[in-house]
Amino acid sequence: FVMMGWLIATRSARGAEETDDRPKDVVAAAVVDAGRVLLAQRAHPVELAGKWELPGGRVESGETHAAALVREIREELGAEVEAGDAVGKPVTLPNGLVLHAYRARLRAGTPAALEHLDLQWFTADDLRRLDLDDVVPADRDWIPELCIILDDA
Ligand code: 523
């Protein structure tokens, strides 16, 4: 019991940063439907709150990008998707995380903002009119390719 208390105490004292041995990859979904792409408005952290992103999250150990994408969209939007081709180039964040965007096709369910402030479907024209200050910094580079995808759709 003493040993267990010590283990718990040292783990929490070291903090989440040092004990985080998860992969550095983050996946984000460009769910495209009827000529529009789904963007989600972040609720946290405070510096990203209110900004639009492609919904997604961190890849877990032993998980493929496609499986992570399906899991994250199920958790965050309550919908089932199928992962498709990569969108744009991976983006490396200052903290070392590497973001990968993929096209995704809606298979079942209606996306809902379970963890976001809001969800909105954007046409290519909506994206071109979007103020980049209102977009999560890492996601800004993907906007031109998303416009091309939507123009072709
Ligand atoms: N981004 C980002 N854009 C974007 C996503 C899905 C994520 O810039 N489209 C960044 C934000 C965070 C990191 O990637 O710095 C992890 O994303 P998050 O918080 O959505 O993923 P979670 O929920 O898996 O992360 P943990 O809370 O750390 O488990």
Side-chain angles (χ1 to χ4, degrees):
F1 285 122
V2 171
M3 190 64 173
M4 220 148 92
W6 173 80
L7 271 172
I8 291 163
T10 35
R11 272 190 81 86
S12 42
R14 281 162 72 197
E17 226 85 81
E18 283 174 63
T19 56
D20 191 350
D21 51 9
R22 293 182 289 170
K24 292 293 172 209
D25 293 356
V26 179
V27 290
V31 180
V32 174
D33 191 46
R36 298 169 306 168
V37 64
L38 189 65
L39 296 188
Q41 199 175 33
R42 284 193 72 102
H44 66 88
V46 69
E47 61 273 18
L48 298 181
K51 295 190 194 291
W52 296 100
E53 70 168 3
L54 293 178
R58 292 188 64 165
V59 175
E60 289 173 0
S61 302
E63 197 177 39
T64 63
H65 285 193
L69 200 81
V70 169
R71 176 184 52 74
E72 287 288 348
I73 296 308
R74 186 180 295 143
E75 287 173 6
E76 296 186 356
L77 310 183
E80 297 301 316
V81 297
E82 186 181 64
D85 295 342
V87 173
K89 293 195 183 91
V91 176
T92 301
L93 298 182
N95 62 12
L97 293 180
V98 184
L99 269 84
H100 304 260
Y102 294 94
R103 294 182 65 161
R105 199 188 295 271
L106 212 43
R107 281 284 170 226
T110 305
L114 303 180
E115 296 181 4
H116 287 88
L117 296 180
D118 196 11
L119 300 181
Q120 210 169 291
W121 291 96
F122 290 75
T123 64
D125 282 339
D126 294 334
L127 289 184
R128 284 188 273 260
R129 276 192 289 264
L130 192 56
D131 186 342
L132 286 184
D133 284 343
D134 295 332
V135 178
V136 168
D139 294 40
R140 290 173 193 163
D141 288 354
W142 294 327
I143 301 284
E145 182 160 346
L146 290 172
C147 287
I148 293 169
I149 288 170
L150 294 176
D151 284 336
D152 288 348

